[in-house]
Amino acid sequence: MNLTKSNDYSIEMKSDILKVAKATLKAEFVGIDEVIDEVINSISNWYLFPDLQERPVVINLWGMTGVGKTALIIRISELLDYESKLFTYDMGNRAERNTSLKEILSQLFLERKGMPAMIMLDEFQFANTKDEKDMETDNGFSRIIWDLLDSGKFQTYRQDSAVRNLIQNKEILEQALECGVKVENGIVTENLETYKEINSFNREDEFCFDFENYHLITNEGEKRYTFLPSHIFSPLYYIMAKKTSISDFKKSLMKLNGTETIQVFEKCIEIAQSNAWLDCTKCIIFVVGNLDEAYTMSSSFNPDLNANEFHEASKLININHIKQALRYRFRNEQIARLGNNHIIYPAFSEHSFYALINLELKNIADKYQNKFGIQLEFTDNFIQLIYDEGVFPTQGTRPLFSTIYQFVNAKFPELFSKNILKKLDADKIVFDYKNEVLSYEFNKSGAPVYVFEEKPNLNLSKLRRPSNDDLQALVSVHEAGHAIISIACLKVLPEYVCSTSSDIGSGGVTTVKRKWKYLSKEEILHHIALDFGGIIAEKIIFGPDKITRGSNEDIKKATELASFAIKDYGMGSILASLNSPDVYSKEYLHDMTGDYNSEVKALLEKGARLAETILVREKNLLIQLADHLSDERIIKKIQIEEKVREYGSAYLKNQKFIENGDHLFYRLKLKGQVFEAGNDALEKLLNENQMAISLNKNQE
C-alpha cells in the first residue's frame, strides 16, 4: 500500500510515515531488521529535509545474492510514495549498458532540476574499473557515476533530436515570414493558407500532423490560428529554463510578432547546443551489489553446509572488509566517493529461512483463500521438506521460493480440479509429508473427506540418502580422520560431520568452527595435520595402497599453507617474502639460493607425522566414528563428544574443548608479563627507598 498521496507534508507527518514504513518493512522482510533500521536512519534526513541537501546521500548495500537488497529499496519507494521517482540502472544488464547512463540521467533530470528523487545503481560490481589482473578497464558506460556520487552535478549535451526539432520548426517559421505571413500577438493575421501549405509540405514526413489540431484556437466563436504549434511550447520552456510557470511562459510568447518569435528560437537553439548542467543534489543514491571478495563463503553451492555457520561468518564482515574487497574492482579515489555509509547484509540463518518459508506459505494461503475460499494448511513435516529441498545457504531466497512454487503453487491447479471433479466441496487442504510420500488431505467442515497421495521427485533428498556402499564407507573414514585431528590438535569439536553430501564433487563434509581469530606458527602445523587427516585415516584403515584421489584438495590446501608460512609469513629460516625471479616486484626477495622448498617440504612432513601419530593413538575412536557415518549420513557435535568420551584415548577423554577463543594465550601472556614487570619495578623502588633512608641515617 502507499502510505502517502503527496510528498508535501509536515515534518510530523513525514516522521510518522517513516515509522510506519520501518514497521511494515520488518513485517514483510525476514532476517534483516538491523539492515532496515540502518537504511531508514540513513534516509531520514533526506526524506524530511531534502531542500537542505547540497550533495546526494549515498547509501551502499552489500550482500550475497537473494537476500533482498533490490526488493527492499523498491518497497521503500512504494511506502514513501516515491515509486514514480525511483530510477534504477542495472549495471549488469548489457541492454542497459548499451545506453549511456549519462544519456538516461539527462532524459530524467534535464527537466527535473533539483527534484528530490531516488536513484538505484544495481549490480554495482559490474561498474568495475579494474580487472582481475589489477589492470585498468574501460567501463565508459559507468564513467558518469563518479561525478554523480561526488557532487551530484554534471554537464551534458541536449538530445540531438530535440535540437533538430527546434531547428526544423525555426526554418518553417522563417520560410513563412519570407512568404509574406504576418504575425501579431502570436496569431497569424495574413496569408494563413500560405502558412498551411508550408507546414503541409515541410511536415509530410511526420506521422499524421494535423495543422488544425496544433494551431487552431477559438475565442468567442471566432477561429484563429497560432503562429507556434501547440506541441512546441513545452520544449521551448524547459530549454529556456524559465522560473515562471509554463502557462505564463506561453502567454509571453503569444505577445510576440514573427521576428521576435524567431529571435526566441535562435536563443533557445543556442542554449540547446551548449552544455547543460544536471542537478541531482537532492537525490538519494543507493549503490547495490554483491562482493564475492568480501563474502568469500558465497562461492560454495553446497546445500549441506550449515546456514547458521554462514550467518555467523557474514556478521563478521565489516566496513574494512568491504573497502578491501572494493579495491579489487575500483580505484582508491572511486572507493572514497562511495563514502562510509556501507550497510552489510548478513547471510540468512536457519531461523530466518524457516521464517521465510512460513511467511511465504502464509501469503500463498491467504491469496488462494481470498480467491477460492479454500484454506491451505502446512504441517511441520511439509515445512521441513521445503527447507531440506529449497535451502542453499549461500544463494538466499531464490532457490527457496522456486521450491515453494514447485510444491505448492504448481500443485494447486490439480488439487483444485480434484475438489471440483470429485465434488468434494472441501474448505481446507492439508499439505503433509511422511515416509517419503506427499499427502494432500481434503477437509470439509473440519472432517477429512479425501486424501490424495504421491511420491515426489526430491532432487536433494536422493543425493543425501545413505548409500551404505563402499563410497560411503570410504568417505566416513576420511571425514572421521579430519574430525579427530580437529578434536586432538585444535581442541575444537566439529559442528557436524557428513558422510553423504548433495554437493557435486564433495563426498562428505566436516564443519569445524574456529574459536580464535589468529593463525600462529604452532597452529599452522595443526592445520596442516588437519588437512592430512583424511588421507592418513584412509591409509591406517584401508592400507597405503588403498588411499584414493579424494584428498587432492586437502593436499593443495596443506601445501599452500606451508608455502605461505615459509615464503610469506616469515616462519622459515629467513624473515622475508620470497618469490621466484620471474615475479618482478619490490615486495619480494628474489634471491632463491636458499633451499626454501625443502623447508616447505619438511613442514608438510611434520604435519603428516603429527596426523598419523594422533590417528594411530585414536584408532578405536576413528573406527567407531567411521562406523557410525557408514550407516548414517550425519553425526552432530553432541554425538561426536559422546563418542570421544567413550572411545577416545585417556588423553582425549580428559581434554577440555575450546568454546571461546578470545582469552587463550596472548592477552594472558601479555598481562602476566606486565604483572611481572610491575613486581620488578616495585622491588626496585623499595630497594631505592631503603637506600635513601640508609643514606639519611648515615648523614645524621
Side-chain angles (χ1 to χ4, degrees), residues 435-672:
N435 302 321
E436 300 184 0
V437 173
L438 273 171
S439 68
Y440 310 92
E441 182 183 272
F442 292 75
N443 287 260
K444 181 179 180 181
S445 302
V449 293
Y450 176 73
V451 177
F452 169 57
E453 294 183 341
E454 64 178 358
K455 195 155 187 173
N457 182 22
L458 304 179
N459 297 320
L460 294 182
S461 294
K462 286 180 182 177
L463 297 172
R464 289 178 174 135
R465 192 173 295 134
S467 57
N468 302 129
D469 58 7
D470 271 5
L471 180 60
Q472 186 174 353
L474 173 63
V475 172
S476 299
V477 169
H478 184 102
E479 298 302 333
H482 286 310
I484 290 172
I485 300 300
S486 170
I487 294 166
C489 280
L490 305 184
K491 298 182 181 180
V492 175
L493 286 164
E495 298 299 308
Y496 62 89
V497 181
C498 277
S499 60
T500 59
S501 174
S502 54
D503 187 33
I504 296 175
S506 175
V509 177
T510 298
T511 299
V512 179
K513 186 176 181 181
R514 282 185 63 193
K515 307 296 183 179
W516 51 94
K517 303 170 186 175
Y518 49 82
L519 191 63
S520 67
K521 185 176 182 179
E522 179 184 33
E523 290 305 315
I524 284 178
L525 178 63
H526 290 167
H527 277 274
I528 291 172
L530 177 62
D531 290 331
F532 284 144
I535 193 169
I536 299 296
E538 292 180 31
K539 174 185 172 184
I540 291 171
I541 299 300
F542 302 120
D545 293 334
K546 295 296 183 181
I547 61 173
T548 64
R549 65 182 180 87
S551 300
N552 60 323
E553 289 300 321
D554 294 334
I555 294 171
K556 286 179 183 178
K557 283 172 57 182
T559 305
E560 182 181 47
L561 181 56
S563 183
F564 270 113
I566 301 301
K567 299 179 181 180
D568 282 84
Y569 301 162
M571 295 178 179
S573 60
I574 184 172
L575 287 174
S577 289
L578 307 167
N579 215 317
S580 69
D582 296 341
V583 179
Y584 297 101
S585 174
K586 294 179 181 179
E587 64 199 53
Y588 295 118
L589 181 64
H590 300 296
D591 180 10
M592 299 295 287
T593 55
D595 196 1
Y596 305 115
N597 283 337
S598 294
E599 293 185 49
V600 174
K601 181 181 176 182
L603 183 55
L604 289 169
E605 290 174 345
K606 189 175 181 180
R609 286 196 302 271
L610 176 60
E612 187 160 6
T613 300
I614 291 170
L615 291 175
V616 168
R617 186 189 72 203
E618 304 296 339
K619 185 175 180 180
N620 189 33
L621 175 60
L622 174 63
I623 292 171
Q624 295 298 328
L625 268 179
D627 181 54
H628 178 98
L629 288 166
S630 69
D631 297 325
E632 306 291 335
R633 69 175 297 268
I634 192 169
I635 184 169
K636 296 187 177 180
K637 185 175 183 178
I638 188 169
Q639 296 170 290
I640 296 172
E641 185 170 7
E642 290 172 358
K643 296 282 186 186
V644 171
R645 301 307 182 196
E646 185 175 358
Y647 300 108
S649 66
Y651 174 82
L652 278 195
K653 286 180 179 178
N654 298 320
Q655 182 166 281
K656 291 183 179 180
F657 300 114
I658 298 171
E659 290 297 334
N660 186 331
D662 291 337
H663 300 90
L664 293 178
F665 174 76
Y666 289 97
R667 183 174 177 83
L668 295 176
K669 184 72 173 177
L670 171 64
K671 293 302 182 182

Side-chain angles (χ1 to χ4, degrees), residues 224-328:
R224 296 192 297 176
Y225 292 86
T226 62
F227 189 44
L228 291 176
S230 58
H231 70 276
I232 203 66
F233 288 101
S234 291
L236 287 171
Y237 172 76
Y238 287 118
I239 292 175
M240 297 292 283
K242 294 291 183 180
K243 295 182 179 180
T244 59
S245 67
I246 190 169
S247 60
D248 289 340
F249 179 71
K250 184 176 180 179
K251 289 176 183 177
S252 67
L253 290 179
M254 291 299 291
K255 295 178 180 178
L256 305 179
N257 59 31
T259 302
E260 292 168 337
T261 303
I262 296 299
Q263 291 172 351
V264 170
F265 265 84
E266 289 173 345
K267 180 64 175 176
C268 189
I269 291 169
E270 180 184 348
I271 294 172
Q273 290 179 327
S274 64
N275 284 351
W277 278 98
L278 297 188
D279 183 358
C280 303
T281 56
K282 303 298 186 285
C283 292
I284 189 162
I285 302 173
F286 294 97
V287 172
V288 180
N290 305 329
L291 284 179
D292 292 341
E293 294 87 351
Y295 291 82
T296 54
M297 72 291 287
S298 65
S299 60
S300 174
F301 287 174
N302 189 350
D304 292 327
L305 297 176
N306 190 291
N308 290 332
E309 295 296 321
F310 279 98
H311 174 71
E312 292 300 323
S314 67
K315 287 175 66 177
L316 297 176
I317 299 172
N318 57 41
I319 187 173
N320 290 329
H321 295 112
I322 294 298
K323 292 203 172 190
Q324 187 66 33
L326 288 169
R327 286 184 60 193
Y328 291 102

